[in-house]
C-alpha cells in the first residue's frame, strides 16, 4: 500500500489510529502493539500477500539469532550466530535483488546460459533488511537490550517507515512505543503530524509526479532530445527524486507523529549543500548513518591516515551504489559520488577558497549529472544522454515535453487563457520547475517546519488545501489502450 | 490557536473542499454511475470501461449487445428493428471472455426485463485461461453499488475537470448526442481493402511445428467456456443469448497457419461449440463457411476487424438463422472449416 492512495488516506490510516489509540485507552498495550503489527502486515502485503511470508520469516530468523547472541555466553557460538545472521540477511537481499544481475553478468563474461529467476523484488526489502542487520550487529556486540518479540516485530514492521525508510535504529523506536505518555492521542503531535503529512503529500503527488511526467517523456527517447530539453529533463529528475523521496519521508514522519512517534530526519534540504560532503550529510541521512556506523567506522573511518580514509570512503560509496539497485548504473553512480567525495577531500583547501555560491553551483551541477546515471536504464543511455547535452544543439522547449504534462488543471487554465497567453502551458510548467527549485534551495524543509510548528488559521487553511489538492490528484482515468486495434 | 482548533479547521475545510469537488461529479455523473444521463447535458461517451456498467445499471432496455471491438459497429437501431427490442450496446475493446461475462452477469442481475443478449465471441479468446483478464487495473469501483469505494470517482480531479467539465459541460455547448449506434463505432475512421489489411500485417515465417491440441488445451477451453459463457446462460434461463464467433478475415487464418496454430484454433472452436450447444438458451452462430465474407478483404480494415456492413449482416443472419450451429450440424461445419482452411492457397493472398 502507498501513503498516496485513497485506501490509505480514507481507510487504513483512520482505522490504524482508531484501533491503536482505542486499545491503548483500555490499557491493552500489548494488544495495541499486536494490532499495529497486524495492520503493518496488511499494509505490506496489500499488493502481494506473499511478501508477508518473506518479511515474517526474516523477522523470526533475525529475532531468534539475536536472542541467541544476547543470551549465550560462548563467544564461538555467538560468532557462529552472527555469521549466520550476516549470511541470512545479505543472502536474502542477494537472492531477491541481485541474483539476476549477477547471473546475467556471469552469462555475458563467461558466455554461459544460466537461467534468470525473474523474481519480483519484495517492496522495501533493502530497508527492512538493513534495519534488522543493525540489530543483529548490535546484538553480537551486546549493546542492545533483549526486546520481547512483539517490540522487535513492531520495530521492523511499523508501517510508516517500512517500505521507504527512514532506516530507524531499534534504540530510536522501541523505547518510544514503551513510553506510556505516547499511548494517548495527543492533539499537538496529531496537528504537527497532519501538517507534515500534507507537505509530504503535496511534494510527492503535486510536484514529484508532475515533474516525473517530463522525466518519463525525456528518458523514453533520449536520442530525440537536444541540449535545451536534455538539461530540462535532467533538472526535472533532480527535483523529482528529491520531492518524491523526501515527500514520502515527510508523510512517514507525519504519520508516525500522529502515533506520538518521532522518526529520525532523513532529508535536510540537500540541495542547499555547498560541498558533496555536505550533500551526503543532508541526503538520505539515515542511510549515510547506517553506512557510517556499520561500514565506515569498522573499516577504520578516518583514524588510519588519509589514504585509508579515501579507500574507506570509496568502499562505502561502492556499497551504497550496490544497495540502491541491481544495475551497473547504480554502481557507477555510487563510484562517481565516491570519487568526487575523495576529490573534494584532497582539494578541500582550494574549494574553501571559492565563494560559497560557486561551491554550491559545483555541488548542485555534479549532483544533477550524477542523477542522470542513477535514472538511466543503462550505461549506454547515460552516454547517449550526456552526448545529447553536449552535442544536441540549443533550441526551444519541445512541444512533446509540454504535452507530456497532461494535467487537467493545466488544460483548464489553458482553456480560459489560451487566447490571451498563447504559451500558458509552457509558462505553468516552468513555474512548477522554478517553484520546486526555489523551494528546495530557499524554503524551510518539513523537519524545520515541525520544530517551529505553531498552529494558526492560515497554516490550517493551507494544510487543508494541500491535502485536498493531493487527494483529488491521487486517482486518474486510465486509457485502456487496445494495442491490437 | 490550540492544536484542537487547528485540527478542527483543517478537517472542516478539507471536508468542505472535498464536498465542493464531489458535488458536480455526483450531480452530472459523467460515467452514469448513479443515474441516467441528465437531459440538460450531452455526454461525450468514449470510455467504455468507465461507462458500460453505468449504462447496464441505469438504462432502460431489454436487449444488450456486447463483446470486443468486433461489436463496436453494431447499430442498436438495426437490432431494435430486426429483433423488436430496445437495445443498448456495451462493448469492451480487447476484453477477455471473463471480463465480458462479468458485464453480462451484471446486466442479468440488474435488469429483470432483459430478454436478449447478443455477444461476439472472439476466436482468439476461446483458448485463453478462464481467469485471464486483458486489463489489470479497471475502475471496479464503478462496477458495484458500494458507496464507500466510490472515493476514486468523486474525489478525482481528472474526472472533475476532464470528464465533468470538458467532456460534459463544455461538450454540451457544441457536441451532439451520442446514440448507441455511434457509441464506440469506428467504421467511418478507417479504410478497407486488401492493400490496407496487408499494409498492417507482417507475415510470420512458416513453422513446421504444429501446436498440439492436447488434453490440457481441451481442459482450458472447457473451463473458459463453462465459467465465462455457459454458466451465466444456465443461471438465467429466461434470457436468450445469441452468440457468434467473430468472423476474422482469411489473413488471420494465414497467420495461424504460418504459426502452426490453425488446427488448434479450429479444434478449440469446435470444443467450445460442443459445450455451448448443450445450453438451450444459447444460439451459437458461425460464419466461417461464408467464404465470400472471409476471403474478400474489402470487408476488412485489418486481419480481424470487419466493416459495419458485416455487423448489419450478422444481425440479419442471426434473425434468419443463417450460420446457426446445432447439435446436428456443428461437426460437419468444423470438418468443412478444416477442409477449406487447411487446404487454402494462402500464398495467393499476397500475389
Amino acid at each position: 500500500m502507498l501513503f498516496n492512495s485513497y485506501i490509505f488516506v480514507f481507510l487504513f490510516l483512520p482505522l490504524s489510529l482508531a484501533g491503536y489509540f482505542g486499545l491503548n485507552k483500555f490499557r491493552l498495550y500489548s494488544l495495541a502493539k499486536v494490532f499495529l503489527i497486524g495492520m503493518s502486515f496488511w499494509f505490506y502485503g496489500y499488493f502481494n500477500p506473499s511478501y508477508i511470508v518473506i518479511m515474517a520469516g526474516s523477522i523470526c530468523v533475525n529475532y531468534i539469532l539475536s536472542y541467541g547472541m544476547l543470551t549465550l555466553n560462548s563467544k564461538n557460538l555467538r560468532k557462529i550466530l552472527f555469521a549466520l545472521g550476516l549470511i541470512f540477511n545479505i543472502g536474502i537481499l542477494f537472492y531477491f535483488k541481485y541474483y539476476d544481475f549477477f547471473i546475467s553478468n556471469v552469462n555475458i563474461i563467461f558466455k554461459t546460459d544460466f537461467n534468470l529467476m525473474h523474481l519480483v523484488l519484495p517492496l522495501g526489502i533493502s530497508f527492512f533488511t538493513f534495519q534488522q542487520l543493525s540489530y543483529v550487529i548490535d546484538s553480537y556486540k551486546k549493546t542492545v537490550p533483549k526486546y520481547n518479540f512483539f517490540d522487535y516485530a513492531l520495530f521492523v514492521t511499523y508501517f510508516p517507515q517500512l517500505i521507504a525508510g527512514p532506516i530507524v535504529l531499534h534504540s530510536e523506536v522501541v523505547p518510544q512505543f514503551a513510553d506510556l505518555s505516547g499511548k494517548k492521542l495527543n492533539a499537538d503531535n496529531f496537528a504537527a503530524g497532519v501538517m507534515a503529512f500534507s507537505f509530504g503529500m503535496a511534494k510527492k503527488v503535486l510536484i514529484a509526479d508532475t515533474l516525473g511526467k517530463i522525466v518519463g517523456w525525456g528518458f523514453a527517447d533520449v536520442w530525440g532530445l537536444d541540449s535545451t530539453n536534455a538539461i530540462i529533463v535532467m533538472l526535472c529528475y533532480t527535483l523529482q527524486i528529491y520531492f518524491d523521496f523526501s515527500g514520502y519521508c515527510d508523510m512517514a514522519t507525519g504519520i508516525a507523529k500522529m502515533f506520538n512517534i518521532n522518526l529520525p530526519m532523513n532529508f535536510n534540504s540537500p540541495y542547499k549543500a555547498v560541498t558533496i560532503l555536505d550533500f551526503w550529510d543532508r541526503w538520505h541521512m539515515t542511510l549515510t548513518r547506517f553506512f557510517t556506523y556499520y561500514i565506515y567506522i569498522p573499516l577504520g573511518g578516518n583514524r588510519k591516515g588519509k589514504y585509508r580514509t579515501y579507500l574507506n570512503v570509496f568502499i562505502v560509496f561502492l556499497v551504497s551504489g550496490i544497495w540502491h539497485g541491481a544495475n551497473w548504473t547504480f554502481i557507477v553512480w555510487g563510484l562517481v559520488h565516491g570519487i568526487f567525495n575523495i576529490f573534494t577531500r584532497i582539494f578541500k583547501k582550494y574549494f574553501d577558497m571559492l565563494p560559497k555560491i560557486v561551491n554550491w553551483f559545483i555541488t548542485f551541477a555534479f549532483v544533477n549529472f550524477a542523477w542522470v546515471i542513477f535514472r538511466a536504464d543503462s550505461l549506454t543511455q547515460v552516454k547517449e544522454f550526456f552526448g545529447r547535452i553536449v552535442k544536441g544543439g540549443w533550441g526551444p522547449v519541445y512541444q512533446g515535453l509540454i504535452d507530456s504534462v497532461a494535467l487537467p488543471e493545466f488544460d483548464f487554465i489553458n482553456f480560459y487563457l489560451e487566447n490571451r497567453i498563447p504559451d500558458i502551458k509552457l509558462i505553468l510548467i516552468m513555474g512548477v520547475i522554478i517553484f520546486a527549485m526555489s523551494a528546495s534551495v530557499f524554503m524551510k524543509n518539513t523537519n524545520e517546519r515541525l520544530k517551529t510548528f505553531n498552529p494558526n488559521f492560515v497554516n490550517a487553511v493551507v494544510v487543508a488545501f494541500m491535502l485536498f489538492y493531493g487527494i483529488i490528484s491521487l486517482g486518474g482515468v486510465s486509457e485502456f489502450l487496445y494495442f491490437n486495434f | 490557536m490550540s492544536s484542537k482548533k487547528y485540527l478542527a479547521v483543517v478537517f472542516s475545510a478539507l471536508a468542505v473542499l472535498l464536498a465542493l469537488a464531489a458535488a458536480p461529479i455526483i450531480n452530472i455523473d459523467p460515467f452514469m454511475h448513479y443515474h441516467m444521463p441528465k437531459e440538460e447535458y450531452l455526454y461525450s461517451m468514449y470510455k467504455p470501461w468507465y461507462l458500460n456498467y453505468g449504462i447496464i445499471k441505469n438504462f432502460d432496455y431489454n436487449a444488450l449487445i456486447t463483446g470486443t471491438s468486433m461489436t463496436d459497429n453494431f447499430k442498436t437501431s438495426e437490432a431494435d428493428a430486426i429483433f423488436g427490442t430496445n437495445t443498448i450496446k456495451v462493448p469492451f475493446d480487447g476484453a477477455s471472455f471473463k471480463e465480458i461475462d462479468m458485464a453480462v452477469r451484471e446486466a442479468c442481475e440488474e435488469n429483470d426485463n432483459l430478454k436478449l443478449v447478443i455477444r461476439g465471441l472472439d476466436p482468439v479468446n476461446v483458448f485463453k485461461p478462464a481467469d485471464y483478464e486483458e486489463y489489470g487495473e479497471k475502475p471496479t469501483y464503478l462496477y458495484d453499488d458500494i458507496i464507500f469505494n466510490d472515493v476514486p470517482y468523486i474525489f478525482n480531479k481528472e474526472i472533475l475537470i476532464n470528464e465533468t467539465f470538458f467532456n460534459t459541460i463544455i461538450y454540451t455547448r457544441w457536441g451532439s448526442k451520442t446514440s448507441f449506434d455511434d457509441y464506440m463505432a469506428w467504421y467511418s475512421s478507417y479504410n478497407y481493402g486488401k492493400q490496407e489489411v496487408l499494409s498492417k500485417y507482417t507475415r510470420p515465417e512458416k513453422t513446421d511445428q504444429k501446436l498440439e491440441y492436447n488434453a490440457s488445451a481441451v481442459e482450458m477451453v472447457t473451463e473458459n467456456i463453462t465459467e465465462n459463457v455457459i454458466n451465466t446462460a444456465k443461471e438465467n434461463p429466461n434470457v436468450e443469448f445469441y452468440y457468434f464467433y467473430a468472423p476474422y478475415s482469411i489473413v488471420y487464418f494465414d497467420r495461424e497457419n504460418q504459426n502452426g496454430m490453425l488446427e488448434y484454433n479450429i479444434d478449440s472452436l469446435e470444443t467450445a461449440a460442443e459445450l455451448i450447444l448443450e445450453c438451450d438458451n444459447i444460439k451459437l452462430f458461425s460464419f466461417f463457411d461464408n467464404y465470400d465474407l472471409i476471403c474478400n478483404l474489402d470487408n476488412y480494415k485489418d486481419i480481424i476487424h470487419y466493416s459495419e456492413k458485416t455487423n448489419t449482416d450478422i444481425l440479419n443472419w442471426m434473425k434468419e438463422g443463417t450460420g446457426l450451429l446445432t447439435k446436428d450440424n456443428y461437426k460437419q461445419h468444423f470438418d468443412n472449416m478444416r477442409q477449406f482452411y487447411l487446404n487454402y492457397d494462402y500464398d495467393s493472398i499476397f500475389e
Side-chain angles (χ1 to χ4, degrees):
Chain A
M1 198 181 294
L2 297 173
F3 301 152
N4 49 312
S5 65
Y6 291 113
I7 189 166
F8 181 85
V9 173
F10 286 101
L11 180 66
F12 185 89
L13 183 57
L15 204 61
S16 302
L17 288 162
Y20 180 70
F21 287 119
L23 289 167
N24 277 328
K25 192 176 169 64
F26 294 104
R27 302 189 177 199
L28 300 167
Y29 301 136
S30 296
L31 199 58
K33 283 181 189 170
V34 174
F35 170 78
L36 216 45
I37 294 167
M39 292 300 281
S40 298
F41 273 109
W42 176 24
F43 178 86
Y44 189 65
Y46 182 70
F47 287 123
N48 187 344
S50 64
Y51 287 173
I52 293 173
V53 180
I54 298 164
M55 190 169 69
S58 170
I59 289 169
C60 291
V61 171
N62 278 302
Y63 183 75
I64 291 165
L65 291 173
S66 298
Y67 192 86
M69 283 186 276
L70 290 168
T71 311
L72 294 169
N73 288 322
S74 159
K75 204 171 179 184
N76 285 339
L77 276 176
R78 284 176 48 235
K79 264 187 184 169
I80 291 168
L81 293 178
F82 179 55
L84 283 174
L86 289 182
I87 292 166
F88 175 74
N89 284 295
I90 295 168
I92 268 197
L93 210 51
F94 177 82
Y95 179 73
F96 284 104
K97 198 166 176 177
Y98 303 105
Y99 180 84
D100 277 4
F101 175 64
F102 177 75
I103 292 296
S104 55
N105 279 292
V106 166
N107 283 342
I108 291 167
I109 295 165
F110 298 105
K111 300 194 184 339
T112 49
D113 194 21
F114 293 114
N115 288 334
L116 302 181
M117 306 271 276
H118 299 295
L119 292 168
V120 179
L121 185 67
L123 218 55
I125 190 167
S126 307
F127 289 95
F128 73 71
T129 305
F130 265 39
Q131 271 189 210
Q132 297 197 90
L133 257 179
S134 78
Y135 187 71
V136 167
I137 296 167
D138 291 352
S139 297
Y140 174 68
K141 291 181 188 164
K142 286 201 171 184
T143 56
V144 285
K146 224 184 277 175
Y147 296 126
N148 75 45
F149 179 72
F150 294 122
D151 282 341
Y152 179 75
L154 187 56
F155 148 66
V156 180
T157 62
Y158 185 46
F159 70 86
Q161 43 81 33
L162 179 58
I163 57 171
I167 300 170
V168 295
L169 303 176
H170 50 88
S171 54
E172 287 169 327
V173 179
V174 179
Q176 291 192 67
F177 275 113
D179 184 358
L180 287 178
S181 67
K183 309 257 179 218
K184 202 174 151 194
L185 192 98
N186 178 312
D188 294 339
N189 285 339
F190 201 88
V194 169
M195 188 277 292
F197 183 80
S198 71
F199 270 82
M201 183 183 260
K203 282 164 83 173
K204 160 79 184 119
V205 178
L206 303 180
I207 297 176
D209 289 354
T210 300
L211 297 171
K213 291 171 197 287
I214 296 171
V215 175
W217 167 85
F219 276 90
D221 180 20
V222 170
W223 274 112
L225 298 173
D226 66 358
S227 304
T228 315
N229 288 275
I231 287 172
I232 293 173
V233 169
M234 179 175 71
L235 180 61
C236 284
Y237 184 62
T238 296
L239 296 169
Q240 182 203 351
I241 193 166
Y242 169 61
F243 279 90
D244 193 285
F245 197 4
S246 72
Y248 210 80
C249 283
D250 289 349
M251 285 193 270
T253 303
I255 296 160
K257 195 91 183 162
M258 293 178 208
F259 285 94
N260 301 319
I261 300 291
N262 290 312
L263 293 182
M265 187 194 281
N266 217 16
F267 289 89
N268 184 17
S269 304
Y271 294 155
K272 290 178 184 170
V274 289
T275 67
I276 199 65
L277 279 69
D278 187 17
F279 174 82
W280 280 105
D281 284 340
R282 294 164 174 268
W283 178 274
H284 204 172
M285 295 153 72
T286 56
L287 180 70
T288 307
R289 179 180 68 178
F290 182 94
F291 285 136
T292 306
Y293 282 4
Y294 296 108
I295 297 181
Y296 182 70
I297 292 174
L299 286 172
N302 59 3
R303 303 185 305 273
K304 295 185 177 177
K306 63 179 178 181
Y307 295 110
R308 184 60 191 268
T309 303
Y310 300 153
L311 178 67
N312 292 343
V313 167
F314 190 80
I315 291 169
V316 163
F317 278 100
L318 173 66
V319 175
S320 175
I322 295 168
W323 181 86
H324 278 87
N327 193 327
W328 283 107
T329 50
F330 296 113
I331 295 170
V332 171
W333 170 81
L335 293 178
V336 163
H337 265 282
I339 291 164
F340 192 58
N341 198 301
I342 294 164
F343 183 82
T344 308
R345 286 166 189 260
I346 294 170
F347 297 101
K348 186 177 179 301
K349 67 177 179 186
Y350 298 105
F351 278 106
D352 288 346
M353 285 156 61
L354 295 171
K356 202 173 171 186
I357 183 83
V358 175
N359 271 323
W360 172 84
F361 182 79
I362 291 170
T363 307
F364 187 70
F366 169 78
V367 168
N368 264 271
F369 285 110
W371 282 137
V372 172
I373 306 169
F374 191 89
R375 172 60 176 80
D377 298 331
S378 64
L379 293 177
T380 312
Q381 197 182 43
V382 174
K383 200 175 145 197
E384 280 172 19
F385 200 100
F386 289 141
R388 299 316 296 164
I389 289 179
V390 176
K391 295 181 194 164
W394 303 94
V397 177
Y398 287 165
Q399 192 59 40
L401 187 151
I402 298 167
D403 292 342
S404 69
V405 187
L407 290 177
E409 56 269 47
F410 281 16
D411 291 334
F412 185 78
I413 296 167
N414 190 44
F415 179 77
Y416 283 109
L417 294 181
E418 192 179 15
N419 293 332
R420 275 168 276 176
I421 311 171
D423 291 326
I424 183 69
K425 270 189 84 173
L426 175 61
I427 293 167
L428 289 167
I429 290 167
M430 289 304 149
V432 172
I433 296 171
I434 291 165
F435 172 77
M437 182 72 212
S438 311
S440 60
V441 176
F442 299 115
M443 284 168 71
K444 277 200 280 189
N445 62 51
T446 306
N447 281 289
E448 289 166 338
R449 283 176 200 282
L450 273 174
K451 280 179 195 155
T452 57
F453 178 59
N454 181 23
N456 62 64
F457 185 79
V458 175
N459 183 297
V461 173
V462 170
V463 163
F465 184 76
M466 285 198 300
L467 281 174
F468 162 73
Y469 199 0
I471 287 169
I472 64 166
S473 303
L474 293 176
V477 177
S478 307
E479 284 300 325
F480 294 103
L481 291 175
Y482 173 33
F483 294 108
N484 286 334
F485 192 76
Chain B
M1 180 187 257
S2 74
S3 293
K4 282 183 182 167
K5 274 189 183 165
Y6 174 87
L7 288 167
V9 173
V10 169
F11 288 116
S12 305
L14 178 62
V16 168
L17 288 167
L18 288 175
L20 286 172
I25 296 174
I26 294 168
N27 178 41
I28 293 173
D29 196 12
F31 293 141
M32 306 171 193
H33 183 48
Y34 302 115
H35 52 73
M36 287 271 285
K38 293 207 148 195
E39 288 292 329
E40 60 268 38
Y41 294 110
L42 296 174
Y43 292 67
S44 65
M45 297 163 62
Y46 68 106
K47 288 199 157 74
W49 291 90
Y50 286 84
L51 277 164
N52 283 350
Y53 275 79
I55 293 170
I56 287 170
K57 280 187 286 187
N58 294 311
F59 277 61
D60 183 25
Y61 60 94
N62 61 11
L64 168 148
I65 296 173
T66 190
T68 62
S69 54
M70 316 307 290
T71 59
D72 283 346
N73 293 327
F74 277 120
K75 295 189 173 83
T76 54
S77 61
E78 290 181 349
D80 291 346
I82 292 167
F83 291 96
T85 50
N86 176 21
T87 313
I88 60 164
K89 182 172 71 177
V90 283
F92 294 86
D93 289 2
S96 69
F97 278 3
K98 182 184 177 185
E99 288 164 322
I100 293 169
D101 183 61
M102 281 161 60
V104 175
R105 278 179 182 275
E106 181 72 12
C108 292
E109 281 170 23
E110 291 281 339
N111 187 349
D112 293 336
N113 297 323
L114 186 66
K115 293 280 173 259
L116 174 66
V117 172
I118 296 172
R119 173 178 171 184
L121 300 175
D122 278 61
V124 289
N125 282 340
V126 171
F127 46 87
K128 281 184 180 157
D131 59 356
Y132 178 76
E133 294 185 41
E134 183 68 26
Y135 296 108
E137 289 207 8
K138 293 185 277 288
T140 49
Y141 51 86
L142 297 172
Y143 298 177
D144 57 38
D145 294 324
I146 303 166
I147 294 171
F148 300 110
N149 68 5
D150 289 350
V151 165
Y153 182 49
I154 59 174
F155 302 143
N156 186 326
K157 71 180 179 190
E158 281 198 37
I159 292 175
L160 177 66
I161 298 173
N162 287 346
E163 306 304 331
T164 308
F165 179 73
F166 282 121
N167 293 330
T168 311
I169 296 173
I170 298 300
Y171 181 75
T172 301
R173 292 187 195 167
W174 56 266
S176 57
K177 188 172 182 179
T178 308
S179 71
F180 277 116
D181 284 3
D182 301 326
Y183 176 45
M184 295 304 292
W186 43 258
Y187 61 87
S188 59
S189 306
Y190 292 93
N191 296 318
Y192 299 82
K194 185 172 177 177
Q195 196 183 348
E196 191 67 21
V197 172
L198 296 184
S199 71
K200 295 171 190 160
Y201 177 58
T202 307
R203 194 181 196 197
E205 285 292 316
K206 180 91 170 87
T207 175
D208 293 331
Q209 288 185 324
K210 287 181 182 169
L211 187 63
E212 190 190 346
Y213 189 65
N214 55 19
S216 67
V218 174
E219 190 183 353
M220 182 169 67
V221 171
T222 303
E223 272 182 23
N224 189 19
I225 297 299
T226 305
E227 289 177 26
N228 300 318
V229 178
I230 294 172
N231 283 353
T232 308
K234 282 186 178 166
E235 288 160 21
N236 296 279
N238 297 327
V239 180
E240 205 165 17
F241 295 86
Y242 276 49
Y243 285 177
F244 66 94
Y245 286 140
Y248 293 168
S249 83
I250 191 68
V251 185
Y252 169 79
F253 289 95
D254 173 64
R255 188 184 76 181
E256 299 305 288
N257 187 45
Q258 295 290 106
N259 286 333
M261 289 275 294
L262 186 51
E263 283 180 81
Y264 188 97
N265 265 259
I266 299 172
D267 290 347
S268 62
L269 290 173
E270 183 170 3
T271 303
E274 200 171 304
L275 294 161
I276 291 169
L277 292 175
E278 289 299 323
C279 208
D280 293 337
N281 54 338
I282 303 181
K283 286 187 175 176
L284 178 65
F285 297 85
S286 172
F287 312 110
F288 290 122
D289 55 359
N290 185 338
Y291 307 121
D292 290 341
L293 166 68
I294 306 275
C295 300
N296 182 359
L297 294 179
D298 287 344
N299 294 317
Y300 293 88
K301 80 170 185 72
D302 55 41
I303 69 168
I304 56 173
H305 290 97
Y306 38 79
S307 71
E308 93 285 9
K309 180 184 172 301
T310 303
N311 290 85
T312 304
D313 289 341
I314 288 172
L315 290 176
N316 284 311
W317 290 332
M318 288 198 293
K319 179 66 179 174
E320 294 160 5
T322 305
L324 179 67
L325 298 182
T326 64
K327 285 181 184 174
D328 296 330
N329 73 6
Y330 82 95
K331 282 203 178 293
Q332 187 60 50
H333 175 81
F334 289 103
D335 285 346
N336 292 347
M337 268 187 84
R338 286 188 191 89
Q339 179 66 26
F340 182 80
Y341 291 107
L342 292 174
N343 297 302
Y344 191 81
D345 176 14
Y346 289 101
D347 290 339
S348 68
I349 300 170
F350 305 93
E351 288 167 0

